[in-house]
Amino acid sequence: MSAVVTIGGWLAAVFAVLGGRLVLARRMELVARACHELRGPLTAARLAARLAAAGQQLPGGETIAIDPRLRGPLEAVELELGRARLAFEDLAAAPSGERAPDRTCTFDVGVLLVDVAEAWRAPAVECGMRLRVEQPRGRVLVDGDRMRLAQACGNLLANAIEHGRDGEDGEIVLRARAGLHTVRIEVLDDGPGLPAPIAQLLRRAPRHGRASRGRGLAIAADVAARHRGRLASAPSERGARIVLELPTATASTAATR
């Protein structure tokens, strides 16, 4: 009798494992199908926004006429659609324990800040916040994945919009300061400040299954590390001051030789 029970228990365990694998495979297939369906709309919408913002000529010879006042918002839409596509690519790579590879190029940090701020201006206004951009003097070039850096800055701005006011309204400043071999991208707000040191918030983030300030910081910190930079806080007279420090293009090139 005991042998029968043992075999029965073993078979039950085997079927449980096989059933679990089938359920997991079904879930992964659903994720794969959702990713497949997201790819087309995101690509089409992003290209449409890019064409409209640039006023490019269509294959038939017709030129897209766009009000110059809409060019900035359209470029912001194109940038955020690019972020969405990046998140989709990361999701598609996640089952293998990977993420989408970086697409490295050389870009102007000041231009990126303007585009990111334009994308987040409406959410800031909706929350009663003012968003101001301070570009660096002259061109400051960085070698890296422009969309990843937009992802990092977007998360820092989202945190500032959610937590960065102490009263009826507040101001958020997105700025860049160039050093000899580095550039510091800073996000300042008027809120009560960080609830804990950044290192502690980063350790806390993976324990939560929901979006949180710590998780947004974790994303930004990961982007910084992958670009040979760092994420830190800095002293501020009021509110939080988060610093994303990166090597400039000249310093980055020298480091790889």
PDB file of all heavy atoms in Angstrom, residues 20-34 95:
ATOM      1  N   GLY A  20       2.504  23.060 -14.316  1.00  0.00           N
ATOM      2  CA  GLY A  20       3.072  24.381 -14.071  1.00  0.00           C
ATOM      3  C   GLY A  20       3.836  24.892 -15.277  1.00  0.00           C
ATOM      4  O   GLY A  20       3.752  26.075 -15.624  1.00  0.00           O
ATOM      5  N   ARG A  21       4.571  23.993 -15.924  1.00  0.00           N
ATOM      6  CA  ARG A  21       5.328  24.393 -17.111  1.00  0.00           C
ATOM      7  C   ARG A  21       4.389  24.763 -18.260  1.00  0.00           C
ATOM      8  O   ARG A  21       4.667  25.705 -19.014  1.00  0.00           O
ATOM      9  CB  ARG A  21       6.269  23.265 -17.533  1.00  0.00           C
ATOM     10  CG  ARG A  21       7.431  23.058 -16.579  1.00  0.00           C
ATOM     11  CD  ARG A  21       8.381  21.977 -17.077  1.00  0.00           C
ATOM     12  NE  ARG A  21       9.528  21.836 -16.191  1.00  0.00           N
ATOM     13  CZ  ARG A  21      10.501  20.947 -16.360  1.00  0.00           C
ATOM     14  NH1 ARG A  21      10.452  20.115 -17.407  1.00  0.00           N
ATOM     15  NH2 ARG A  21      11.510  20.886 -15.519  1.00  0.00           N
ATOM     16  N   LEU A  22       3.303  24.043 -18.388  1.00  0.00           N
ATOM     17  CA  LEU A  22       2.342  24.368 -19.447  1.00  0.00           C
ATOM     18  C   LEU A  22       1.699  25.736 -19.198  1.00  0.00           C
ATOM     19  O   LEU A  22       1.512  26.520 -20.122  1.00  0.00           O
ATOM     20  CB  LEU A  22       1.265  23.277 -19.520  1.00  0.00           C
ATOM     21  CG  LEU A  22       1.708  21.929 -20.101  1.00  0.00           C
ATOM     22  CD1 LEU A  22       0.584  20.903 -19.970  1.00  0.00           C
ATOM     23  CD2 LEU A  22       2.114  22.084 -21.570  1.00  0.00           C
ATOM     24  N   VAL A  23       1.360  25.994 -17.930  1.00  0.00           N
ATOM     25  CA  VAL A  23       0.782  27.298 -17.586  1.00  0.00           C
ATOM     26  C   VAL A  23       1.788  28.406 -17.875  1.00  0.00           C
ATOM     27  O   VAL A  23       1.444  29.451 -18.441  1.00  0.00           O
ATOM     28  CB  VAL A  23       0.348  27.323 -16.110  1.00  0.00           C
ATOM     29  CG1 VAL A  23      -0.018  28.741 -15.686  1.00  0.00           C
ATOM     30  CG2 VAL A  23      -0.825  26.385 -15.896  1.00  0.00           C
ATOM     31  N   LEU A  24       3.059  28.179 -17.474  1.00  0.00           N
ATOM     32  CA  LEU A  24       4.096  29.173 -17.722  1.00  0.00           C
ATOM     33  C   LEU A  24       4.295  29.399 -19.210  1.00  0.00           C
ATOM     34  O   LEU A  24       4.423  30.537 -19.680  1.00  0.00           O
ATOM     35  CB  LEU A  24       5.408  28.723 -17.072  1.00  0.00           C
ATOM     36  CG  LEU A  24       6.607  29.669 -17.257  1.00  0.00           C
ATOM     37  CD1 LEU A  24       6.310  31.029 -16.657  1.00  0.00           C
ATOM     38  CD2 LEU A  24       7.856  29.063 -16.627  1.00  0.00           C
ATOM     39  N   ALA A  25       4.322  28.299 -19.987  1.00  0.00           N
ATOM     40  CA  ALA A  25       4.495  28.425 -21.435  1.00  0.00           C
ATOM     41  C   ALA A  25       3.339  29.203 -22.054  1.00  0.00           C
ATOM     42  O   ALA A  25       3.549  30.021 -22.965  1.00  0.00           O
ATOM     43  CB  ALA A  25       4.593  27.036 -22.069  1.00  0.00           C
ATOM     44  N   ARG A  26       2.131  28.946 -21.557  1.00  0.00           N
ATOM     45  CA  ARG A  26       0.968  29.679 -22.069  1.00  0.00           C
ATOM     46  C   ARG A  26       1.084  31.159 -21.755  1.00  0.00           C
ATOM     47  O   ARG A  26       0.809  32.013 -22.609  1.00  0.00           O
ATOM     48  CB  ARG A  26      -0.304  29.093 -21.442  1.00  0.00           C
ATOM     49  CG  ARG A  26      -1.587  29.854 -21.763  1.00  0.00           C
ATOM     50  CD  ARG A  26      -1.862  29.886 -23.248  1.00  0.00           C
ATOM     51  NE  ARG A  26      -3.096  30.598 -23.548  1.00  0.00           N
ATOM     52  CZ  ARG A  26      -3.448  31.014 -24.746  1.00  0.00           C
ATOM     53  NH1 ARG A  26      -2.652  30.792 -25.788  1.00  0.00           N
ATOM     54  NH2 ARG A  26      -4.596  31.623 -24.932  1.00  0.00           N
ATOM     55  N   ARG A  27       1.509  31.475 -20.549  1.00  0.00           N
ATOM     56  CA  ARG A  27       1.664  32.879 -20.183  1.00  0.00           C
ATOM     57  C   ARG A  27       2.736  33.563 -21.028  1.00  0.00           C
ATOM     58  O   ARG A  27       2.570  34.709 -21.458  1.00  0.00           O
ATOM     59  CB  ARG A  27       2.010  32.991 -18.697  1.00  0.00           C
ATOM     60  CG  ARG A  27       0.857  32.626 -17.774  1.00  0.00           C
ATOM     61  CD  ARG A  27       1.274  32.672 -16.316  1.00  0.00           C
ATOM     62  NE  ARG A  27       0.157  32.349 -15.441  1.00  0.00           N
ATOM     63  CZ  ARG A  27       0.262  32.231 -14.121  1.00  0.00           C
ATOM     64  NH1 ARG A  27       1.439  32.399 -13.529  1.00  0.00           N
ATOM     65  NH2 ARG A  27      -0.803  31.938 -13.391  1.00  0.00           N
ATOM     66  N   MET A  28       3.846  32.871 -21.247  1.00  0.00           N
ATOM     67  CA  MET A  28       4.919  33.452 -22.046  1.00  0.00           C
ATOM     68  C   MET A  28       4.459  33.666 -23.482  1.00  0.00           C
ATOM     69  O   MET A  28       4.843  34.637 -24.135  1.00  0.00           O
ATOM     70  CB  MET A  28       6.153  32.545 -22.010  1.00  0.00           C
ATOM     71  CG  MET A  28       6.787  32.414 -20.630  1.00  0.00           C
ATOM     72  SD  MET A  28       7.096  34.007 -19.839  1.00  0.00           S
ATOM     73  CE  MET A  28       8.200  34.738 -21.023  1.00  0.00           C
ATOM     74  N   GLU A  29       3.630  32.755 -23.997  1.00  0.00           N
ATOM     75  CA  GLU A  29       3.103  32.924 -25.350  1.00  0.00           C
ATOM     76  C   GLU A  29       2.195  34.149 -25.426  1.00  0.00           C
ATOM     77  O   GLU A  29       2.217  34.898 -26.405  1.00  0.00           O
ATOM     78  CB  GLU A  29       2.349  31.663 -25.777  1.00  0.00           C
ATOM     79  CG  GLU A  29       1.662  31.772 -27.137  1.00  0.00           C
ATOM     80  CD  GLU A  29       2.618  32.025 -28.291  1.00  0.00           C
ATOM     81  OE1 GLU A  29       3.833  31.747 -28.142  1.00  0.00           O
ATOM     82  OE2 GLU A  29       2.152  32.491 -29.345  1.00  0.00           O
ATOM     83  N   LEU A  30       1.396  34.359 -24.383  1.00  0.00           N
ATOM     84  CA  LEU A  30       0.535  35.549 -24.354  1.00  0.00           C
ATOM     85  C   LEU A  30       1.367  36.822 -24.322  1.00  0.00           C
ATOM     86  O   LEU A  30       1.038  37.809 -24.983  1.00  0.00           O
ATOM     87  CB  LEU A  30      -0.398  35.483 -23.128  1.00  0.00           C
ATOM     88  CG  LEU A  30      -1.489  34.410 -23.173  1.00  0.00           C
ATOM     89  CD1 LEU A  30      -2.234  34.368 -21.843  1.00  0.00           C
ATOM     90  CD2 LEU A  30      -2.463  34.669 -24.319  1.00  0.00           C
ATOM     91  N   VAL A  31       2.454  36.800 -23.551  1.00  0.00           N
ATOM     92  CA  VAL A  31       3.351  37.959 -23.511  1.00  0.00           C
ATOM     93  C   VAL A  31       3.972  38.191 -24.883  1.00  0.00           C
ATOM     94  O   VAL A  31       4.061  39.323 -25.367  1.00  0.00           O
ATOM     95  CB  VAL A  31       4.452  37.764 -22.450  1.00  0.00           C
ATOM     96  CG1 VAL A  31       5.523  38.844 -22.572  1.00  0.00           C
ATOM     97  CG2 VAL A  31       3.844  37.781 -21.050  1.00  0.00           C
ATOM     98  N   ALA A  32       4.409  37.096 -25.534  1.00  0.00           N
ATOM     99  CA  ALA A  32       5.028  37.210 -26.860  1.00  0.00           C
ATOM    100  C   ALA A  32       4.047  37.787 -27.874  1.00  0.00           C
ATOM    101  O   ALA A  32       4.405  38.619 -28.703  1.00  0.00           O
ATOM    102  CB  ALA A  32       5.537  35.844 -27.322  1.00  0.00           C
ATOM    103  N   ARG A  33       2.787  37.358 -27.794  1.00  0.00           N
ATOM    104  CA  ARG A  33       1.788  37.876 -28.730  1.00  0.00           C
ATOM    105  C   ARG A  33       1.498  39.348 -28.474  1.00  0.00           C
ATOM    106  O   ARG A  33       1.336  40.136 -29.413  1.00  0.00           O
ATOM    107  CB  ARG A  33       0.501  37.057 -28.615  1.00  0.00           C
ATOM    108  CG  ARG A  33       0.643  35.630 -29.129  1.00  0.00           C
ATOM    109  CD  ARG A  33      -0.679  34.876 -29.047  1.00  0.00           C
ATOM    110  NE  ARG A  33      -0.531  33.483 -29.447  1.00  0.00           N
ATOM    111  CZ  ARG A  33      -1.528  32.625 -29.536  1.00  0.00           C
ATOM    112  NH1 ARG A  33      -2.769  33.010 -29.260  1.00  0.00           N
ATOM    113  NH2 ARG A  33      -1.307  31.373 -29.905  1.00  0.00           N
ATOM    114  N   ALA A  34       1.424  39.728 -27.197  1.00  0.00           N
ATOM    115  CA  ALA A  34       1.198  41.134 -26.871  1.00  0.00           C
ATOM    116  C   ALA A  34       2.352  42.003 -27.378  1.00  0.00           C
ATOM    117  O   ALA A  34       2.140  43.089 -27.932  1.00  0.00           O
ATOM    118  CB  ALA A  34       1.024  41.300 -25.365  1.00  0.00           C
ATOM    119  N   PRO A  95      12.105  37.325 -20.698  1.00  0.00           N
ATOM    120  CA  PRO A  95      12.048  35.883 -20.409  1.00  0.00           C
ATOM    121  C   PRO A  95      13.408  35.184 -20.485  1.00  0.00           C
ATOM    122  O   PRO A  95      13.597  34.146 -19.850  1.00  0.00           O
ATOM    123  CB  PRO A  95      11.095  35.353 -21.494  1.00  0.00           C
ATOM    124  CG  PRO A  95      10.218  36.516 -21.816  1.00  0.00           C
ATOM    125  CD  PRO A  95      11.123  37.708 -21.724  1.00  0.00           C
TER     126      PRO A  95
END
